[in-house]
Every structure is written in structure tokens, then in C-alpha cells.
Amino acid sequence: MTLFQEFGITQELAIILAIDLGIAVLLLTLMRYMQGWSAKVNSRDELAVRDNFAFGISTAGAVGALGIVLTGAITGAAAHSYAQEAIGMAAYGICGLLLIKFGRYVHDKIALNQVDKTAAILKGNIPVAIVDAAAAMATALVIRAVLIWAEDLTINTFIAIFSAFAVSQLMLVVLTRALEIFYRRRNQGHSLQQALEEGNTALALRHAGSMLAMGFTFNAASHFMVYDPTTYVTNLIGWFVFSLMMLLVLSILLWIVKKLVLARIDLSDEIERQQNIGLAAVEMAISISIAVVMTGLMA
């Protein structure tokens, strides 16, 4: 008995693990180069010659997002053959990659529509890059939750995945618009998107925390959904109702927790006007922590 067999790793399982890891590495590499292709620049030059930190942060978000999606693709029982395992891993991985790219496009054109994201990142705008990376990872958390929720590998499966993805993008837009409204009221009509473009990193961290928290709560919502790939409308309505409920519960909990943890601190003044990055990082950590706790409780 070999050391691997002693831990339950057979030759067949080792080959399957190698197939999954190989496909994952190829897709992660592809994502890195797609960052440059989509911006019509050389990714190597941006990362290692111009030392564009913003481009690096944006790329890190994209690569990390794909990694999150791939964990959803490899979760579950192994396929009955090596070919099926490779096809399933590649199909889910490519689907996740395309949805991440499409989700970023939707976020750029609808949620963050007042900012030319690509131009801002190429100019080295770190706040915009942070929000871009967070949007990609929030989308990836949603896709991962749906991949684990869905079963089999059929057309109906991908329709179910896209339905949940569409709802998640709607929730991201709703979240962004709500944050914009609150920001405008507290800052004499000033635009949140303009503040990001002007370099408010603290505000970007707060916004990133909110989006990532929403991504985790979508995972919590998946525990209320029963998978039936043929009930398209029911799936769509179910994802919308439960994700909206989770978002409302999260918002209430965060308001209470921030009042307790960050008592006697004017968060609006510190983050929005004084650009206190340290305090914004604490607020971001609180948002993500509460969302993760909610997800754990619902599992």
C-alpha cells in the first residue's frame, strides 16, 4: 500500500485531480491574458514595465474570481470517466469565465456607468480598480453558489445558472444605486462614482465590502432553493425573492453591528470626506464577516 492509497487517493482519483488542476491552470492563465486583450494593452507591460498597480489589482480580482468559480466546478462527486471529468470541468470553467467577463461588462455599463473604467485603470486609478475587482469576485461568489446548487451537465443546467446570474447582476445594480443615493444625501448631491474617479480609496473599500457581502449572502439564499432545471420561471422568481430577502436582512444586521462595533465614530465623515482607509478596511471586514456568518448559519 502506497502513501497515497493510505489516505484514500487511488490512481484513478489522482488522474482526475491532475485533469482538474491542469484545466484550472490553463483557465487562470487565459484570464490573465484576457485582461490585456479586453483593454487592448500588453498585460506584461502593464504589470511589470509600467508597474500599473491599478491594472494589477483589477487582474488579481479577475484571476481570484475565476479561482472561486472553479471551486464550485470541482465540488461534488467525480465523473465516471476521465473524458467526462475533463468536459465537465472545462464546460463549467469556461461558462464561469464568460459570465465573469459579462458580469463586469454589465457592471461597467449599468452600475458604474459614469466612469470609463478601462481608461481609469490604465491611468492607475486604484479606487476604480478595487471596485472592479470586488465586482468580479462578488459575481464569482454567486456563480460558485449556483454551480454547487445545480446538478448534471445539460442545457437546462446552464439556463438555471444564467437565471441566477441575471438576478445577481440586478441585485448588484440595486445595491450600487442605493449606496449612491445615501452618499448623495450625505454629501450635498456629490456623486459616489465621481468620488471614486477622483481617488477616494476609502470609499472604494467600503463599496467593495458591500458587494462582496452581497455575493456571500447570495450563497445563503441558495440553501432555500430546490433545484429543478425545468421550472425556469420558478427558479428566476425564487432567486429574486430569496436574494432580495437576504440583502435586506444583511443591510439591517450591518447597520446594527456597525453601530455597536464602531460606536461613537462618524463613518460618513471619516470615510467619505477624510478618506480614512484604515477605518474603511474595518468596515469592509465587518460587512464580509457578517455575510459569512449568515452563510454559515443558513448552510
Side-chain angles (χ1 to χ4, degrees), residues 29 53 68-69 77 90 93 102 113 154 157 164 174 186 200 211 220 222 253 255-256:
T29 304
F53 301 154
I68 292 171
V69 169
F102 182 60
N113 60 318
T154 65
T157 304
V174 169
R186 294 190 298 261
N200 191 333
M211 288 193 292
S222 68
L253 285 176
W255 183 82
I256 295 172

Side-chain angles (χ1 to χ4, degrees), residues 99-108 110-111 135-136 138-140 142-143 162-176 214 218 243:
L99 287 178
I100 290 171
K101 298 299 290 184
F102 182 60
R104 297 177 88 177
Y105 177 82
V106 172
H107 185 262
D108 297 345
I110 301 177
T139 299
V142 172
I143 298 171
F162 188 79
S163 297
F165 168 79
V167 172
S168 72
Q169 295 308 300
L170 175 61
M171 290 297 105
L172 278 175
V173 173
V174 169
L175 176 65
T176 301
M214 194 227 74
F218 208 90
S243 61

